[in-house]
Each structure stands twice: as C-alpha cells, then as structure tokens.
C-alpha cells in the first residue's frame, strides 16, 4: 500500500560519531532509503557517483544545513501489472493508476492505493486501527477513486480526503502533473519489472517458512499434462 502505514518508517543514529548538537534531537525531514548510501559516504568523507539518486543528510545532521527535499515520489506505477497488455480495473483510461507523491505537506494518490488483483487477501488495506482497543474502522469512501489528497502535516493518518474539495483543485492539478512528469519518457521512466504475486509462494502453504515453490508449480502442471 502507498498509504503512510505502508511507507512511513522511523530511523535513528547512535554512536560517538553523532555530533553533540544533534544528540537527543529528532527530525521530521523527508528522507528516503536511497539517502542512506550518500549519507554514509558523506560521513566517511567519500564522494558519490553522479548516478546516485539519494542525497547526503550528514551536513544537515552535523551543521544544521537546511534540508532541501520537499518532494518525494512514493511509487510511480502506470500499470501495476508491469506493462502487460491486459490491465484490469484501471482508472482514467489506464494511466497513472498506482502512484503516490509527497510534496510537503500534501500527498496525492493517483488511482488505486494498493493492488487487489491476484492476491489471496481481499480485505481493504485502508482505514484505521484504534489505539485503545485496536479496532478496525473502515473508510467511508469507495476504494476506486481517481485521486486522493491528504495534508500530512494536519492529517498524518490520512482520514480526510481533500481531493474533492473546491479549494484544493489547484493542488490536485499541480501534483498530478508532477506525477505525470515522473512517469514520462522525458524523465527516463521505465515500466517496472514483471513481478506478479504467486499464491504458491505464500509461506502459509509451507508451514510458515520460506521455501522454493516454482518447482512445485511446474510439477503440478506436468501432472495435469499427463492426465490429458
């Protein structure tokens, strides 16, 4: 899922190399996993290649230099099935149907927030779990929506979809165009690799252990051929 519950995580630094001014502090800056490599390289005083996508957070941590990232693509999925010609359940003619982008403080979800096709668990993955009695509260809105817009600064649990409110239409339009740019040839976008879920790979069918399953599928197919 591209909701915050599926993409937001916590990171921490510890050790004698942490600058004294940074010890015991916290930061809400927008970082990504791709920033780990250049940050560690910056800490070690090593250069990074121009092709590295991440940014060096070490100057911000060490000297309080302003962190300049305010936009972060969560996922750009023109087709969640990896470019197959058969595209079930698409919104808006088949474009940008599994994408999310944060442009602080807003986050836009274009198309489906998670993939339901060819999955064993059909329960909704949006909604909220209460802290008091850990009870699931389903959302009021339908699953199939063309756009979702949230103000993460005021609504980090993404309970209020702003996409349908008149005063936010310019924000929706701008962020949608940003998603289109990330998905464009001009940006070098390429379809993601074909990575359809295989039900036989679910560990629940293997005594809750990860084990090979491709051969089992092949043997089953061979048996079916023999029966014919």
């Amino acid at each position: 899922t591209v909701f915050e519950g599926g993409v937001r995580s916590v990171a921490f630094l510890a050790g004698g190399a942490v600058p004294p001014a940074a010890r015991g502090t916290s930061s809400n800056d927008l970082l990504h996993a791709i920033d780990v490599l250049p940050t560690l390289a910056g800490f070690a005083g090593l250069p990074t290649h121009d092709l590295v996508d991440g940014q060096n957070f070490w100057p911000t941590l060490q000297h309080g230099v302003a962190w300049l990232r305010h936009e972060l693509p969560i996922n750009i999925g023109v087709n969640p099935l990896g470019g197959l010609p058969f595209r079930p359940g698409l919104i808006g003619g088949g474009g940008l149907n599994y994408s999310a982008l944060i442009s602080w403080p807003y986050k836009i979800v274009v198309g489906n927030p998670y993939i339901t096709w060819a999955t064993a668990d059909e329960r909704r993955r949006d909604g909220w779990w209460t802290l008091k009695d850990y009870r699931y509260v389903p959302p009021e809105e339908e699953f199939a929506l063309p756009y979702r817009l949230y103000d993460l600064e005021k609504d980090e649990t993404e309970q209020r979809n702003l996409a349908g409110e008149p005063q936010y239409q310019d924000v929706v339009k701008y962020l949608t165009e940003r998603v289109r740019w990330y998905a464009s040839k001009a940006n070098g976008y390429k379809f993601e690799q074909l990575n359809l879920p295989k039900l036989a790979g679910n560990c629940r069918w293997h005594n809750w252990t990860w084990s090979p399953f491709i051969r089992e599928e092949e043997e089953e197919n061979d048996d079916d051929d023999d029966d014919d």
Side-chain angles (χ1 to χ4, degrees), residues 113-191:
Y114 53 87
I115 302 301
T116 59
W117 188 79
T119 57
D121 191 347
E122 298 181 353
R123 292 177 298 177
R124 293 191 67 163
R125 275 160 272 172
D126 44 6
W128 313 274
W129 292 87
T130 61
L131 295 177
K132 185 177 181 180
D133 52 0
Y134 203 61
R135 179 176 52 86
Y136 175 70
V137 180
E140 296 181 0
E141 58 192 15
E142 298 293 330
F143 168 74
L145 295 175
Y147 306 104
R148 290 174 169 85
L149 178 70
Y150 304 102
D151 185 339
L152 297 181
E153 204 161 48
K154 301 177 181 178
D155 179 26
E156 63 181 9
T157 55
E158 299 166 303
Q159 298 191 32
R160 180 186 175 189
N161 181 8
L162 306 173
E165 301 185 17
Q167 64 269 36
Y168 294 101
Q169 294 312 297
D170 288 342
V171 178
V172 171
K173 181 179 179 181
Y174 171 74
L175 294 184
T176 302
E177 289 303 314
R178 292 298 298 157
V179 173
R180 290 187 184 278
W181 180 81
Y182 279 107
S184 67
K185 291 183 178 180
N187 183 47
Y189 176 81
K190 296 181 180 180
F191 279 106

Side-chain angles (χ1 to χ4, degrees), residues 67-81:
W67 185 243
L68 299 180
R69 178 187 284 135
H70 302 289
E71 182 175 280
L72 183 66
I74 300 300
N75 189 70
I76 305 297
V78 176
N79 177 6
L81 303 184

Side-chain angles (χ1 to χ4, degrees), residues 162-222:
L162 306 173
E165 301 185 17
Q167 64 269 36
Y168 294 101
Q169 294 312 297
D170 288 342
V171 178
V172 171
K173 181 179 179 181
Y174 171 74
L175 294 184
T176 302
E177 289 303 314
R178 292 298 298 157
V179 173
R180 290 187 184 278
W181 180 81
Y182 279 107
S184 67
K185 291 183 178 180
N187 183 47
Y189 176 81
K190 296 181 180 180
F191 279 106
E192 59 269 30
Q193 67 179 8
L194 181 59
N195 192 25
L196 291 175
K198 291 183 177 292
L199 299 183
N202 194 323
C203 61
R204 71 194 305 175
W205 310 126
H206 308 282
N207 195 29
W208 296 105
T209 61
W210 298 110
S211 62
F213 62 91
I214 296 296
R215 180 170 296 179
E216 294 178 7
E217 287 186 339
E218 293 174 348
E219 291 175 351
E220 290 177 0
N221 292 335
D222 291 341

